[in-house]
Each structure stands twice: as C-alpha cells, then as structure tokens.
Amino acid sequence: MHRRTAVALIAITISSGCGGPLPTGNAATGSPAAIAQVRLFDQERGTDLTVHTGLPDDQSLRLEVRLYAPDGHRLTDIVGGAELSLQFEPASLATSIPVPGRPLQRLVTATAPVGASGSQIVSLRFGDGSSKSFGPFHVQVQAGSHAEGEFRLFDAFNADLSQHVPLVSGDTMRLEVRLYDSTGTRRTSIPGGVEVTFHFDPDSLAKAAPITGLPFWKAVTPTATVGTEGSLFVSVLFLADSSTKTYGPIQVLVH
C-alpha cells in the first residue's frame, strides 16, 4: 500500500509540478501569469529534488524553487516580485523559514522521525496580490550523514552565545563556532575541513569577516542602529563531501 501511494504521488508530482520536458538553461523576466511550472533544488548542492525531497534528520536543507515558462525557459525575475511558502502534509513532517534576501528559498527542517513521508505544496504570492500553488511534491525524512549533533557559539571570552548574540554598536566581536558529536565530545578536527558562513536577517543587521587561519571564527561588526534586533544563521560546509548544515535562527540584538 505504501509503495503504491508513493508511486502515485510521484506521478502527480511529475504532471502538476514539472509540466513536461526538462527546462532549458535560458533565463528571463516574466509576469506571474507566465509561470507554468516549478522545479525544486538543493541550493547548496544543486541537486534536483522535484520528484523526491529527502530531508536529513540532523540538518536543515536550503530548498530553492525555480520558475519556468510554458516553453521551458527559466524565469529568474518576476514582475512585482514573488515570495515562497511551503505547506507540509502532514504538518508534523517538517517546518520551513525564509532565507534572508532569498525570496524563492526556504530553510527546511525535518520534525518527524526517519522514515516518515508525506508531501509539500509550493505556494507563490506575487506583488499584485495574486498567488499560485504547485504540487504535491514527495518528501521523506532520511538518516543524516554526519555525527556532529550539536552546535554552539562562543565569543573570545568563552561566553556561550548560542541563544543570543549581543552586538555592541561601533565594536567588532569575534565569534567561534564549535561542533560536538552525539556523545557531547567537541570535534576540533573535521576530515577535509570546513567553511563557515554567517547569514544575518535582516542583511543590514551586521557583517561577518573571516579571520585568517581560524576557519571556525568570524569577526562580526553590527551595521544597524542601537536597538535593532534580528537573527543569525550559521552554515557549515563540510568540504569532504560538499554537504552543509545550517544552524539557527539565533537571536541578535544591537546594544
């Protein structure tokens, strides 16, 4: 029964979400009415997730929705703008939050155990007040690939800022990302190395600069006025297999 349901769901996905042959690589501007189909991608890896979205149980997935016209060419700019939201069935399957500055991306986190499956509907709302929906697209929670089960954030004085980062206006703070395995042991050496990226929401909240020779450290300087609050997302790219984990949101306040 489960297998027949999955096959049927994939068939619906192909007909309602893809709408025909693979899109071409050309890109253009179009109106909301010009959008005939969407495709889903893992933004970090470029993997096509349209037929099946596998959600790891130990990290968030940055899902990107790409829009296409009836003739298959990609629409990279929609007149009036477009914003994305995702609805999961069942609702307990996963959650998603916006990616700062990326209206057609969502950070998706599994909230169900490994093996749970369901679907997602892609909803687009446009600047003219209209909307379109595509799907359902098949989703399944899968076992993650890394053992680093915990993330924490510290300043240069060893204060734990994993829940709240207090930035001082006019000052630069050094922040260190620390990773831990499932036993709570800190991982100080990652095979292949890592690249750490900070993303602020809103973008104007602060900027982060690398520190030479310290891949887990960033120099963070607030760029917003005193009293401004927002969020920090920390992405860790594992160079050995090009997989990514994203942590957050972490509350940020400029003092």
Side-chain angles (χ1 to χ4, degrees):
M1 176 65 72
H2 291 297
R3 183 176 182 274
R4 289 197 297 271
T5 301
V7 171
L9 183 55
I10 291 174
I12 294 173
T13 296
I14 294 174
S15 62
S16 64
C18 300
L22 290 176
T24 66
N26 297 328
T29 298
S31 67
I35 303 171
Q37 55 182 290
V38 303
R39 298 183 70 85
L40 315 182
F41 288 84
D42 180 335
Q43 195 278 332
E44 301 287 350
R45 300 182 182 181
T47 307
D48 191 331
L49 305 178
T50 308
V51 172
H52 169 77
T53 299
L55 292 180
D57 69 333
D58 64 346
Q59 61 183 293
S60 297
L61 171 72
R62 187 182 295 191
L63 186 144
E64 177 185 19
V65 171
R66 299 180 186 177
L67 316 176
Y68 298 91
D71 64 1
H73 76 265
R74 185 179 174 190
L75 301 172
T76 56
D77 186 29
I78 301 301
V79 176
E83 292 186 357
L84 165 70
S85 63
L86 300 174
Q87 290 80 46
F88 295 96
E89 177 59 40
S92 58
L93 185 65
T95 60
S96 76
I97 59 176
V99 175
R102 299 290 185 268
L104 292 180
Q105 295 180 19
R106 302 284 292 190
L107 195 64
V108 182
T109 303
T111 52
V114 172
S117 63
S119 62
Q120 60 185 339
I121 296 290
V122 172
S123 296
L124 300 171
R125 181 169 293 278
F126 307 105
D128 62 5
S130 63
S131 62
K132 283 187 174 183
S133 295
F134 299 86
F137 300 96
H138 184 249
V139 180
Q140 184 176 41
V141 181
Q142 300 174 343
S145 58
H146 286 285
E148 294 86 359
E150 186 178 351
F151 154 88
R152 295 172 72 184
L153 193 64
F154 290 83
D155 68 6
F157 301 99
N158 207 39
D160 191 335
L161 305 181
S162 305
Q163 300 298 321
H164 172 75
V165 177
L167 296 179
V168 178
S169 180
D171 193 16
T172 296
M173 173 183 288
R174 287 160 53 105
L175 293 177
E176 181 189 20
V177 171
R178 298 181 187 176
L179 302 175
Y180 302 83
D181 64 20
S182 58
T183 68
T185 302
R186 184 180 171 190
R187 299 294 302 274
T188 56
S189 178
I190 306 296
V194 300
E195 289 183 1
V196 175
T197 306
F198 282 13
H199 307 277
F200 293 97
D201 182 18
D203 293 336
S204 58
L205 184 63
K207 60 182 180 180
I211 299 177
T212 303
L214 299 173
F216 289 96
W217 288 81
K218 295 290 183 182
V220 178
T221 305
T223 50
T225 57
V226 173
T228 304
E229 60 180 323
S231 302
L232 165 64
F233 297 88
V234 178
S235 294
V236 180
L237 169 64
F238 296 88
L239 298 177
D241 61 2
S242 298
S243 63
T244 300
K245 286 186 180 182
T246 299
Y247 305 91
I250 301 167
Q251 183 189 39
V252 179
L253 178 64
V254 180
H255 294 267

